[in-house]
Amino acid sequence: MRNLFRYTLLAFLLGQTGIAQPAPLTPDQDHAQLLHVLGIENLRRGADGNADSPFAANTDETKANAALTSLPPLLQSVGGRPIASATDWEANRPALLNTFSQEIYGYVPGAAPELYWQAGSTTPLANSGAAAVRQQFTSALVHPENAALNLSLNFTLVLPKSNKPVPVVVVMSFDPGIWERFRDRMPAERYAQIQADNARWRKQVVNAGWGYAEIIPTEFQADSGDGLSQGIIGFVNNGKPRNPTDWGALRAWAWSASQVLTYLQTDSRVAANKISVHGHSRFGKAALVAMAFDSRFAAGFISSSGEGGAKLWRRNFGEQVGNIAGAGEYHWMAGNFVKYAGPQTVSDLPVDAHQLLALCAPRPVLVSVGSQGESWVDPKGMLLAAYHATPAYALFGEKGVTQNELPPVGNGLLAGKLAFRQHEGGHTPAPNWKTFINFASRQWASPNKHE
């Protein structure tokens, strides 16, 4: 809040500067500038989702695991010392997070503001399946020098009527406008199914006695390279290009969820120790980043997150480092990450996804994925990451994923605080919402053994 007041006061004192701002760079231009800063002339291309392409993504399991021989050891500190206890793990946690910031997701700038949320009036929620109310929250950021960088941010809180504080899940949702644009590009029955799924998970949450805080992450930071000069990244950086260690969109989206969590922990209607986070696909990546970097989140529902999320980077299956480092997706990451598709390779990465999952220990995390058309996000690569992260949970006396082969679809590995389930259906979180609610509720009822 202190930074917010500072920004607002400066805007009042300085007013409009009248200084012409340079036109934002296109994604290709910004990407090319980043390569120049890093001294990279060429990048290795990523995999192609078209099976007939000469660069088609590998889906042959016998060719998938060659690079796993260089998987960074989980129970070894950044300084090379053995990690033998929960105390050792917690002592190494800041250094491991620093490596992920430096090389993968970027640092949140110290000048990033704290958001002050203005609460709107509550209204009854229709068709929720149970008595519930909806409330809109807004936050305005005024840039001191460039009004074009001003931000108006929102989230929606839905709570069941209750005489005690309730668990709340922070949900990273896609902009409804995206689905409207896709309405004419997909079969009518598919569009109807998406809308039905969205209505169903909301009812499931409320009927379970939970609330949900729904955010549109792209309101905080656009999902494009040309958006890096705007949104919260552009706001803090005065619209200038990023440095190689600056945060990318995934870290910014995770930051937005944390800003909502900060408010929720002050709301007496919310159980402050039972606030979880959920995201699907690219927002599944962001939800896992939020879980790893913000230990206040009590549980995570990480859906179809794939490369950059819960999938092992070193697995040669589905999407690859070159895809994320290219001009279409590089904005998700710190600029430094791009070099691993250039002069360096995936085996040079100092960390991998099993360590990102392990940073969530000992809190409950459900790694979720579909069974149809999901080879791009690599279900087994996410299972293996959970399997290799499990020793960190064991340090806390907790169970995780103890098998490295996919179980039958629908048979989740749900006994521990780190869990995995592959549901029937495709690229959607819908079939696993009930599983997550039951999983988190059960795990919360079983206190962490180290406490």
Side-chain angles (χ1 to χ4, degrees):
M1 188 178 300
R2 181 177 62 255
N3 284 331
L4 172 64
F5 291 154
R6 176 165 59 85
Y7 283 123
T8 305
L9 178 60
L10 284 172
F12 174 77
L13 294 174
L14 296 176
Q16 292 298 105
T17 63
I19 299 174
Q21 300 294 322
L25 300 178
T26 67
D28 285 339
Q29 290 171 335
D30 186 75
H31 188 250
Q33 178 169 294
L34 175 61
L35 295 184
H36 175 74
V37 169
L38 293 171
I40 299 174
E41 294 186 2
N42 296 293
L43 293 179
R44 291 181 300 280
R45 63 166 293 153
D48 196 328
N50 179 1
D52 297 326
S53 167
F55 304 100
N58 176 55
T59 56
D60 182 347
E61 194 59 43
T62 66
K63 301 176 181 178
N65 292 332
L68 294 193
T69 56
S70 66
L71 199 65
L74 183 71
L75 299 184
Q76 180 176 300
S77 74
V78 173
R81 297 180 299 277
I83 295 175
S85 67
T87 300
D88 292 344
W89 179 263
E90 293 292 357
N92 184 61
R93 195 171 187 275
L96 185 56
L97 286 169
N98 184 68
T99 302
F100 273 103
S101 296
Q102 177 78 22
E103 300 296 322
I104 312 294
Y105 300 111
Y107 293 97
V108 175
E114 298 174 27
L115 299 184
Y116 173 76
W117 295 103
Q118 181 69 39
S121 58
T122 59
T123 57
L125 182 65
N127 302 318
S128 64
V133 294
R134 180 196 304 271
Q135 192 170 19
Q136 190 78 13
F137 290 79
T138 60
S139 182
L141 287 179
V142 178
H143 196 274
E145 299 178 19
N146 185 358
L149 297 176
N150 292 351
L151 291 172
S152 179
L153 306 170
N154 306 271
F155 77 89
T156 301
L157 179 61
V158 171
L159 295 172
K161 292 186 177 178
S162 174
N163 57 9
K164 62 180 181 180
V166 301
V168 169
V169 54
V170 178
V171 178
M172 300 185 185
S173 289
F174 288 89
D175 183 345
I178 291 177
W179 299 119
E180 291 299 320
R181 291 193 293 274
F182 284 165
R183 181 196 292 267
D184 297 330
R185 304 181 190 177
M186 63 175 62
E189 60 272 17
R190 174 59 181 152
Y191 183 82
Q193 183 63 54
I194 290 170
Q195 301 309 311
D197 286 346
N198 286 335
R200 186 180 304 112
W201 74 254
R202 292 179 173 94
K203 286 185 179 180
Q204 287 175 328
V205 170
V206 172
N207 288 344
W210 287 28
Y212 59 88
E214 193 169 3
I215 63 174
I216 308 297
T218 49
E219 288 185 359
F220 294 77
Q221 184 59 49
D223 186 13
S224 62
D226 54 355
L228 291 170
S229 62
Q230 298 178 317
I232 190 60
I233 293 176
F235 183 91
V236 175
N237 210 31
N238 297 318
K240 298 176 183 177
R242 297 181 300 164
N243 292 318
T245 59
D246 286 349
W247 52 347
L250 292 181
R251 193 77 194 272
W253 295 337
W255 173 88
S256 69
S258 289
Q259 291 295 308
V260 172
L261 180 149
T262 296
Y263 164 75
L264 293 174
Q265 289 192 320
T266 70
D267 193 320
S268 62
R269 300 169 296 175
V270 175
N273 63 341
K274 293 181 179 179
I275 300 171
S276 55
V277 62
H278 163 67
H280 171 68
S281 196
R282 65 199 59 193
F283 297 147
K285 306 178 202 297
L288 180 53
V289 172
M291 268 299 286
F293 278 88
D294 193 337
S295 59
R296 297 176 300 166
F297 282 112
F301 176 15
I302 313 302
S303 174
S304 296
S305 59
E307 193 88 337
K311 171 187 181 291
L312 287 173
W313 288 107
R314 284 166 170 78
R315 274 252 315 170
N316 177 26
F317 198 102
E319 190 173 20
Q320 296 296 295
V321 166
N323 296 95
I324 304 248
E329 297 178 357
Y330 77 101
H331 60 276
W332 291 347
M333 320 300 287
N336 265 348
F337 172 80
V338 172
K339 65 190 179 188
Y340 296 103
Q344 299 184 358
T345 72
V346 65
S347 294
D348 294 313
L349 279 167
V351 289
D352 212 312
H354 65 307
Q355 292 162 295
L356 190 67
L357 277 170
L359 283 165
C360 303
R363 294 164 291 152
V365 176
L366 173 63
V367 178
S368 165
V369 66
S371 58
Q372 299 173 16
E374 288 279 72
S375 61
W376 187 250
V377 300
D378 188 11
K380 186 171 182 179
M382 290 184 278
L383 170 72
L384 288 174
Y387 172 79
H388 287 289
T390 289
Y393 276 78
L395 294 174
F396 294 88
E398 301 294 351
K399 295 179 181 179
V401 172
T402 56
Q403 69 180 63
N404 58 8
E405 293 296 334
L406 288 169
V409 173
N411 290 7
L413 305 173
L414 305 170
K417 280 195 161 60
L418 178 57
F420 176 90
R421 185 173 187 267
Q422 186 176 23
H423 61 73
E424 293 183 355
H427 193 61
T428 171
N432 266 351
W433 262 107
K434 185 176 180 180
T435 298
F436 171 67
I437 293 168
N438 292 338
F439 161 74
S441 298
R442 185 175 67 253
Q443 295 298 340
W444 285 335
S446 175
N448 296 326
K449 295 179 177 61
H450 71 291
E451 292 181 348

